[in-house]
Amino acid sequence: MATEDQLREQIVLLGRSLYDRGLAHGSAGNISVRLADGWLMSPTSSCLGRLDPARLSRLDANGRLLAGDAPSKETFLHQAMYGQRADCGAVVHLHSVHAVAVSCLDGLDAANVFAPITAYAVMQVGRLALVPYYPPGDLALADAVRAVAARHHSVLLANHGPVVAGTSLDAAVNAIEELEQTARLTLLLHGHRTRPLTAAQVAELERRFPG
Ligand code: 13P
């Protein structure tokens, strides 16, 4: 079990990695990790590429700020995920370009945004839920995520971006990177005759690699 200091360092390291590879920009995106008695959260308006481990928001089990800078305005959204998923150890939200582009498309399947184009999309992203547009930080956005979070660890906020829950921060980051990659592939394949995995192939992956 990692110590709080180690988790702080991990948030900084992975935030910088996401930023350095163009998956985060400006002050967009936020990261949280569950502790035994609360959460660590990236501060509001912070850049994921330049987080300071000592200034991360330290929240208690009720979400109240104990130490550090003021937390992300999406704290309630993260807590909606934790509240619905007992195995959730971390949540990552990004405004990564291709996932945001897909979130702006009309006519998406709100229960399963992506066609099952690759095995890793099925294994790590699973069935991506779409929730309607609300302004960032709006409590209605957290409510919309809460309504689907028990059935979906990956959620796409319409005209905004992806949110992914993982058992660990590594798992959440890997899954949101796979989501971004799947969004990119989906856009690249648009207009091309595509052969997605069959329902039987998807069921086999779900059996072998239960999420
Ligand atoms: P914060 O800066 O408050 O974390 O908000 C950034 C964001 O991504 C909003 O959706």
Coordinates of all heavy atoms in Angstrom, one line a residue, residues 1-7 10 33-38 88-89 167-168:
M1 N 0.9 -1.2 0.0 CA 0.0 0.0 0.0 C 0.9 1.2 0.0 O 1.8 1.4 0.9 CB -0.9 0.0 1.3 CG -1.8 1.2 1.4 SD -3.3 0.9 0.5 CE -4.1 2.5 0.9
A2 N 0.7 2.1 -1.0 CA 1.5 3.3 -1.1 C 1.2 4.3 0.0 O 0.1 4.4 0.5 CB 1.3 4.0 -2.5
T3 N 2.2 5.0 0.4 CA 2.0 6.1 1.4 C 1.4 7.3 0.7 O 1.4 7.4 -0.5 CB 3.3 6.5 2.1 OG1 4.1 7.1 1.1 CG2 4.1 5.3 2.7
E4 N 0.9 8.2 1.6 CA 0.3 9.5 1.0 C 1.4 10.2 0.2 O 1.1 10.8 -0.9 CB -0.3 10.3 2.1 CG -0.9 11.6 1.5 CD -1.6 12.5 2.6 OE1 -2.2 11.9 3.5 OE2 -1.6 13.7 2.4
D5 N 2.6 10.3 0.7 CA 3.7 11.0 0.0 C 3.9 10.4 -1.3 O 4.1 11.1 -2.3 CB 4.9 11.0 0.9 CG 4.9 12.1 2.0 OD1 3.9 12.9 2.0 OD2 5.8 12.1 2.8
Q6 N 3.9 9.0 -1.4 CA 4.2 8.4 -2.6 C 3.0 8.6 -3.6 O 3.3 8.9 -4.8 CB 4.3 6.8 -2.4 CG 5.6 6.4 -1.8 CD 5.6 5.0 -1.3 OE1 4.6 4.4 -1.0 NE2 6.8 4.4 -1.3
L7 N 1.8 8.7 -3.1 CA 0.7 9.0 -4.0 C 0.7 10.4 -4.5 O 0.4 10.7 -5.7 CB -0.7 8.7 -3.3 CG -0.9 7.2 -3.0 CD1 -2.1 7.1 -2.1 CD2 -1.1 6.4 -4.3
Q10 N 3.1 10.4 -7.3 CA 2.6 9.7 -8.5 C 1.6 10.6 -9.2 O 1.6 10.6 -10.5 CB 1.8 8.5 -8.0 CG 1.9 7.3 -8.9 CD 1.0 6.1 -8.4 OE1 0.6 6.1 -7.2 NE2 0.7 5.3 -9.3
V33 N -7.0 10.8 -6.1 CA -6.7 9.5 -5.6 C -7.3 9.3 -4.3 O -7.3 10.2 -3.4 CB -5.1 9.3 -5.5 CG1 -4.8 8.0 -4.8 CG2 -4.5 9.3 -6.9
R34 N -7.9 8.1 -4.0 CA -8.6 7.8 -2.7 C -7.5 7.4 -1.7 O -6.6 6.7 -2.0 CB -9.5 6.7 -2.9 CG -10.5 6.6 -1.7 CD -11.1 5.2 -1.6 NE -12.0 4.7 -2.6 CZ -13.3 4.8 -2.6 NH1 -13.9 5.3 -1.6 NH2 -14.0 4.3 -3.6
L35 N -7.7 8.0 -0.5 CA -6.8 7.6 0.7 C -7.7 6.8 1.6 O -9.0 6.8 1.4 CB -6.3 8.9 1.3 CG -5.5 9.8 0.5 CD1 -5.2 11.1 1.2 CD2 -4.2 9.2 0.1
A36 N -7.1 6.3 2.7 CA -7.9 5.6 3.7 C -9.0 6.4 4.3 O -10.1 6.0 4.6 CB -7.0 5.0 4.7
D37 N -8.7 7.7 4.4 CA -9.6 8.6 5.1 C -9.9 9.9 4.3 O -10.0 11.0 4.9 CB -9.0 9.0 6.5 CG -7.6 9.7 6.3 OD1 -7.1 9.7 5.2 OD2 -7.1 10.2 7.3
G38 N -10.0 9.8 3.0 CA -10.3 11.0 2.2 C -9.7 10.9 0.8 O -9.6 9.8 0.3
C88 N -13.1 1.8 -6.7 CA -12.4 3.0 -7.4 C -11.4 3.6 -6.5 O -11.6 4.0 -5.4 CB -13.5 4.0 -7.7 SG -12.8 5.5 -8.5
G89 N -10.1 3.6 -7.0 CA -9.0 4.1 -6.2 C -8.5 5.4 -6.8 O -7.7 6.1 -6.1
T167 N -9.0 1.2 -10.5 CA -8.7 0.7 -9.2 C -7.5 1.4 -8.6 O -7.3 1.4 -7.4 CB -8.5 -0.8 -9.3 OG1 -7.5 -1.1 -10.3 CG2 -9.7 -1.6 -9.6
S168 N -6.6 1.9 -9.5 CA -5.4 2.6 -9.1 C -5.2 3.8 -10.0 O -5.9 3.8 -11.1 CB -4.2 1.7 -9.1 OG -3.9 1.4 -10.5

